[in-house]
Amino acid sequence: MTPTILIATGIMNAGGTESLIMETLRHRSADVRYVMLIHYDGEAPKAGVFDDEIRNMGVPMYYIRSVGSLGIRGYINEFTRVMAHMSRADILHSHLNASGGVIAMAAKKCGIRYRICHCHADIHFTGSFLYRIKQEMQLKVLKWLIDRNATDMWACSDAAWRRLFMPWRKKVVVDNMIDATLYLPSEDRRAAAKHKFGLEDRMVIGAVGRVAPIKNYEIILRALPAVPDAVFICFGRFSPDNAYCRRLVELAASLDVSDRVVWAGNSNDIAGDIHCIDVFVMPSFTEGFGMAALEAQAAGIPSVLSSGIPSVVDLGLGLVKFINPGNTESWIGAIRDGLSMKAPGQDAILDAFRRKGFNSPEAVRGIENRYIEIIKQ
């Protein structure tokens, strides 16, 4: 019998978690069937950048309002209603971090025997002291719900696993992955990407990731005046109405670098677009893994990463340098050093990905074997 895996996730826009899910679907085997349960806030779901591709694969997609929108009791009732319209799943695989305990509880009530909660973030809270205390208390409750309702706990790194799961449970770390062959560098790809964004004669500092406070993009804007010939481009969700996004726009203006900053929004072709970047930066205060760092190395791009990124993302290609997330002078120096680095060859890149287990054609098979092992328990 072919097992059915119910993938619980948010709107399928570009992001690390979404990229992992898409790689799983693109390289899935006939041994496993997938169904998507997509969570959304508000009154109606919004289209994700990957929705059409998922539909074209023939993967069923169902939508449900998020735990935060419905509350625990309302969510369980809605989950039960949605499950009545689909065939029974063998495994729930929640990719929604701390909300996974509520989702697992709903799945348990609906008779789904195996329930995986997957953590993709080394969860940290910012804000006032009282706000952080409140969030930590809520997280303790959600961790307890996971412990009571999940049968398996997976995470993208040791740090992410420790942050969300109880220490007495079995730890499973599932590394993120990409299809490295899609990113490999060439002069033609570099020229095409530069031309696409009108950056043919510019040195480009670039990032990939949603624009949010945890990403710490301020440090790059503050470094930009010291690299006068460079442009900073960021691929990731950017909302002009968001307070943090407005703050970054104001900061760029105060530093007189607005004309050298491009908020490009989500990319539908990051494997191609990333080649416009000469030095990749990831200044996040913390990341559960740092998927975009893999993408940059696959493209042969020198990468300056925050020390808040797990060191496991370094493929050993001589492309990565880790920097304190708050030291502007260190970022300036590392960016300048990166501009003079040369990309390794394609064979060396592919070999590093396969050796580390980050190449999705092989890694997806490992995930599917885990699913099958869970059912055979």
Side-chain angles (χ1 to χ4, degrees):
M1 185 184 77
T2 302
T4 296
I5 315 301
L6 180 63
I7 302 291
T9 185
I11 298 297
M12 288 297 291
N13 285 320
T17 301
E18 294 83 359
S19 294
L20 174 70
I21 293 168
M22 291 307 299
E23 287 303 299
T24 302
L25 297 181
R26 288 165 182 153
H27 298 283
R28 69 195 186 282
S29 71
D31 298 334
V32 176
R33 175 177 178 265
Y34 295 91
V35 176
M36 300 291 292
L37 182 63
I38 297 176
H39 293 66
Y40 65 93
D41 297 314
E43 295 303 316
K46 297 178 180 178
V49 298
F50 293 123
D51 285 11
D52 288 342
E53 183 179 354
I54 295 169
R55 290 192 187 95
N56 290 337
M57 292 177 184
V59 176
M61 300 170 69
Y62 296 85
Y63 293 85
I64 185 171
R65 289 179 66 192
S66 68
V67 174
S69 295
L70 294 171
I72 293 176
R73 180 175 296 179
Y75 180 82
I76 291 172
N77 291 338
E78 185 65 8
F79 187 96
T80 302
R81 186 190 68 78
V82 173
M83 289 301 103
H85 294 281
M86 68 173 73
S87 59
R88 177 68 57 84
D90 298 287
I91 296 177
L92 165 79
H93 188 167
S94 170
H95 290 271
L96 288 168
N97 296 334
S99 295
V102 178
I103 300 168
M105 180 164 59
K108 184 177 182 180
K109 288 181 178 294
C110 288
I112 298 177
R113 184 174 180 182
Y114 305 103
R115 302 169 298 277
I116 303 167
C117 284
H118 198 147
C119 184
H120 294 272
D122 182 6
I123 301 168
H124 288 272
F125 302 111
T126 58
S128 69
F129 176 75
L130 289 177
Y131 173 81
R132 285 183 280 118
I133 289 295
K134 179 182 177 182
Q135 294 301 308
E136 289 290 347
M137 291 175 65
Q138 290 179 350
L139 183 61
K140 285 187 177 182
V141 173
L142 294 171
K143 289 173 67 172
W144 178 80
L145 287 173
I146 290 172
D147 192 55
R148 288 290 301 271
N149 294 289
T151 58
D152 297 83
M153 287 84 167
W154 294 7
C156 63
S157 66
D158 286 329
W161 201 95
R162 289 193 303 269
R163 188 67 173 106
L164 191 58
F165 303 131
M166 301 300 187
W168 51 81
R169 300 302 293 264
K170 180 182 177 182
K171 179 169 67 174
V172 176
V173 174
V174 177
D175 291 321
N176 284 349
M177 59 187 171
I178 62 172
D179 186 345
T181 59
L182 300 179
Y183 292 79
L184 295 175
S186 72
E187 285 303 317
D188 287 345
R189 299 192 80 180
R190 171 182 163 84
K194 292 267 192 182
H195 176 73
K196 179 177 179 178
F197 296 99
L199 299 170
E200 291 94 331
D201 301 318
R202 306 301 294 270
M203 287 300 218
V204 180
I205 303 164
V208 178
R210 62 190 172 90
V211 182
I214 197 70
K215 301 297 185 179
N216 189 33
Y217 290 132
E218 297 98 322
I219 199 78
I220 305 304
L221 296 183
R222 293 193 178 101
L224 202 54
V227 193
D229 296 328
V231 171
F232 173 57
I233 188 169
C234 179
F235 296 101
R237 191 163 64 250
F238 180 90
S239 173
D241 297 329
N242 178 274
Y244 178 68
C245 295
R246 289 198 305 270
R247 193 159 73 244
L248 290 178
V249 170
E250 292 166 1
L251 177 60
S254 70
L255 295 168
D256 197 26
V257 295
S258 296
D259 60 339
R260 295 197 283 130
V261 176
V262 180
W263 304 108
N266 285 325
S267 168
N268 291 321
D269 179 27
I270 197 61
D273 292 345
I274 201 170
H275 289 274
C276 77
I277 297 172
D278 297 292
V279 176
F280 174 81
V281 292
M282 183 177 276
S284 309
F285 292 114
T286 184
E287 291 276 353
F289 184 84
M291 177 80 85
L294 293 187
E295 295 174 327
Q297 291 173 85
I301 301 170
S303 302
V304 186
L305 312 181
S306 159
S307 54
I309 313 301
S311 59
V312 69
V313 302
D314 185 354
L315 288 159
L317 290 164
L319 290 171
V320 172
K321 187 171 185 178
F322 291 96
I323 298 293
N324 184 307
N327 190 320
T328 305
E329 292 302 318
S330 294
W331 283 91
I332 293 169
I335 289 168
R336 286 174 172 167
D337 290 344
L339 290 171
S340 63
M341 292 177 64
K342 300 297 183 184
Q346 293 187 358
D347 289 344
I349 292 172
L350 283 175
D351 181 64
F353 269 85
R354 289 167 179 153
R355 190 172 61 251
K356 284 273 194 174
F358 294 155
N359 199 41
S360 54
E362 297 89 7
V364 169
R365 191 58 192 166
I367 290 174
E368 292 190 341
N369 286 340
R370 288 182 185 273
Y371 288 147
I372 293 168
E373 288 168 6
I374 287 172
I375 291 172
K376 288 180 177 178
Q377 289 176 357

